Amino acid sequence: MKFVDFGLDSKLLEGIQAIGFEEATPVQEQAIPVILSKKDIIASAQTGTGKTAAFLLPVIHHILNNPHDGSIKALVVVPTRELAVQIDQQMEGLSYFTSVSSLAVYGGGDGSSFAREKMALSEGADMIIGTPGRLIAHLNMGYVKVDNLKYLVLDEADRMLDMGFNEDLMKIVSYLPKERQNLMFSATMPPKIRELAKTILKDPEQINIAVSKPAERIVQAAFVVYDSQKIELAKYILSAKKLQSVIVFCSTKSATKQLNRELKKMKFLSEEIHSDLEQKEREQVLQAFKNKKLNILVATDILSRGIDIEDIELVINYDVPNDGEDYIHRIGRTARAASKGVAFTFVNEKEQRDFLQIEELLGAPVPKAKVPESLGEAPVYNPSRPKPKGKRKFTKRR
């Protein structure tokens, strides 16, 4: 289905065409007509499916067709600063030829950014995209003009609940008018998300685009190694072929910093992203990576969801992700749209059982690649399967 077939405002179509959008993705094809008909929705859609435009386009259309009265019309709540900035950037592109205004609201800035946010929230930007904590800080002060708010979007709702934002979300909702359209997007649909949906949404339409398997275009392989071999293996892989765009995911900040130091010693164009960096530093690194001034980004899971970067050629899981969903989100950074990609995972002895559970979720084993002989002998992949149910054994958690 083409975007011109949705009946969107002509000024909005100009922005869509300027960006180069033509054909709608499945989630856009299903969600946009429902949102245009002013119904609530709960949509299960992973990052990379085009869900941001799926809610932005119909909401911008509705705002354009209602007179501006100096109040906030739409509120998009997201789990992280990075996602708030990304959605605001996409909003800016799509609404370029319209008069619709937006602002990203998130913590980590200085006093001047808070003052700028206060001005926009009190004077009424059309759309506010923000993180829960920062939004509550402003709402508690009483100047946020939400009396005429018409649209509430909760993006990556599952991640917000995982991060402990349930009470914050309910507090935000308590400030909003009861008559509004609610749009909830989540990569997964665990019971806690369905409970939240029952509380906030009214008779929602359900859309399910999520696939709990990676795109077939992603070539996957696992290297079974000792911890001491991981840095050398990363260097070996990154030296073997000149790649323009690589993300390496580490489970800890210390591993992120250590690996980035080693890559820099080898003159790789590499930088790190983790929560120890100031927000401005993180944005600068991310922008340099998007602009191809950096080839390699070494990151914690702060980037595993919600960051829309095209043309990632290789994703390396330096550590095995916590679960299958995290694995899918991480490797989903590559093979976006119609492109192909490669995803390698380093699996040490302690991580073998976790990786087996990921393989069981995928429904097939991930091929095991041969560790280069120059790195020495590597462990055998022989994960211990979970104990059969019956008598429960309690072990210390790692």
Side-chain angles (χ1 to χ4, degrees):
M1 187 172 182
K2 293 187 179 295
F3 285 101
V4 293
D5 299 328
F6 289 117
L8 296 168
D9 188 279
S10 59
K11 290 179 181 175
L12 185 51
L13 284 173
E14 283 186 60
I16 294 169
Q17 287 160 4
I19 287 174
F21 287 0
E22 289 183 14
E23 294 279 345
T25 66
V27 70
Q28 292 162 356
E29 195 168 319
Q30 291 191 43
I32 290 173
V34 176
I35 300 171
L36 288 173
S37 69
K38 301 196 173 179
K39 291 182 180 176
D40 285 12
I41 66 166
I42 177 169
S44 179
Q46 292 177 347
T47 298
T49 55
K51 65 180 171 61
T52 303
F55 63 76
L56 284 182
L57 290 171
V59 170
I60 296 168
H61 172 84
H62 281 317
I63 293 171
L64 282 170
N65 287 275
N66 285 285
H68 182 71
D69 59 4
S71 64
I72 298 164
K73 293 293 189 304
L75 178 63
V76 182
V77 188
V78 297
T80 65
R81 296 173 256 192
E82 284 76 18
L83 186 53
V85 171
Q86 178 198 306
I87 293 174
D88 190 41
Q89 287 171 345
Q90 191 161 352
M91 171 74 186
E92 192 176 337
L94 292 171
S95 63
Y96 187 82
F97 297 100
T98 77
S99 57
V100 177
S101 59
S102 68
L103 179 74
V105 172
Y106 49 83
D110 52 21
S112 63
S113 66
F114 193 91
R116 188 175 64 253
E117 292 170 3
K118 178 180 177 180
M119 184 179 294
L121 291 164
S122 54
E123 292 181 1
D126 292 308
M127 183 182 291
I128 299 296
I129 305 119
T131 52
R134 188 69 154 207
L135 288 169
I136 287 173
H138 286 293
L139 285 163
N140 283 343
M141 294 185 183
Y143 48 72
V144 183
K145 298 180 80 170
V146 289
D147 293 349
N148 294 319
L149 185 126
K150 304 291 184 192
Y151 314 100
L152 171 66
V153 182
L154 301 180
D155 193 17
E156 295 207 355
D158 53 344
R159 192 172 178 199
M160 286 197 278
L161 294 192
D162 287 343
M163 293 169 73
F165 285 136
N166 188 60
E167 284 185 22
D168 287 351
L169 292 176
M170 297 314 300
K171 180 151 188 158
I172 289 167
V173 167
S174 72
Y175 282 96
L176 308 180
K178 295 203 184 309
E179 291 303 315
R180 61 177 192 269
Q181 187 176 4
N182 304 287
L183 316 173
M184 183 185 290
F185 288 80
S186 181
T188 57
M189 284 292 161
K192 59 187 178 182
I193 284 294
R194 300 199 177 276
E195 284 303 311
L196 182 66
K198 279 182 194 173
T199 309
I200 295 176
L201 308 184
K202 293 179 184 175
D203 192 24
E205 291 270 341
Q206 293 196 30
I207 295 170
N208 187 357
I209 306 292
V211 225
S212 37
K213 292 189 180 176
E216 290 179 7
R217 297 182 304 275
I218 302 175
V219 176
Q220 301 175 65
F223 290 87
V224 183
V225 293
Y226 294 111
D227 250 348
S228 58
Q229 296 172 313
K230 285 186 175 183
I231 285 178
E232 292 307 314
L233 179 57
K235 290 179 185 177
Y236 178 89
I237 290 170
L238 294 170
S239 301
K241 187 178 179 182
K242 176 80 172 161
L243 296 171
Q244 292 299 312
S245 198
V246 180
I247 297 182
V248 185
F249 285 112
C250 301
S251 292
T252 64
K253 288 183 281 189
S254 58
T256 305
K257 293 172 185 178
Q258 183 185 16
L259 177 59
N260 186 50
R261 275 196 306 271
E262 292 298 321
L263 295 179
K264 279 177 168 292
K265 284 180 190 174
M266 292 188 68
K267 307 300 181 188
F268 283 111
L269 293 175
S270 166
E271 283 297 347
E272 61 198 57
I273 280 199
H274 46 74
S275 59
D276 281 355
L277 295 182
E278 293 292 330
Q279 178 61 22
K280 191 174 282 188
E281 293 176 293
R282 282 151 65 175
E283 287 174 9
Q284 286 170 348
V285 170
L286 198 54
Q287 200 57 49
F289 185 65
K290 285 183 177 181
N291 294 340
K292 311 295 185 193
K293 292 178 182 175
L294 297 174
N295 301 119
I296 302 166
L297 201 54
V298 186
T300 55
D301 269 342
I302 202 165
L303 276 193
S304 64
R305 294 197 197 194
I307 298 300
D308 193 15
I309 304 171
E310 299 296 333
D311 307 321
I312 303 294
E313 296 167 280
L314 171 65
V315 167
I316 296 176
N317 289 312
Y318 188 79
D319 304 296
V320 172
N322 290 327
D323 56 43
E325 292 290 350
D326 285 344
Y327 177 84
I328 289 162
H329 283 298
R330 280 191 188 183
I331 74 170
R333 302 293 91 219
T334 185
R336 305 294 291 275
S339 63
K340 295 181 180 179
V342 178
F344 292 150
T345 302
F346 298 174
V347 186
N348 70 19
E349 290 176 296
K350 292 179 181 176
E351 295 168 324
Q352 288 192 16
R353 183 166 162 177
D354 291 339
F355 195 67
L356 173 65
Q357 291 175 337
I358 289 171
E359 291 180 309
E360 288 172 346
L361 174 70
L362 297 175
V366 173
K368 307 303 179 292
K370 186 178 179 183
V371 176
E373 289 182 9
S374 60
L375 300 188
E377 190 177 343
V380 175
Y381 186 63
N382 185 25
S384 55
R385 292 182 176 275
K387 302 279 183 191
K389 288 183 179 176
K391 289 184 180 178
R392 294 181 68 191
K393 279 194 173 181
F394 293 90
T395 55
K396 287 184 181 178
R397 294 182 69 185
R398 286 194 290 115

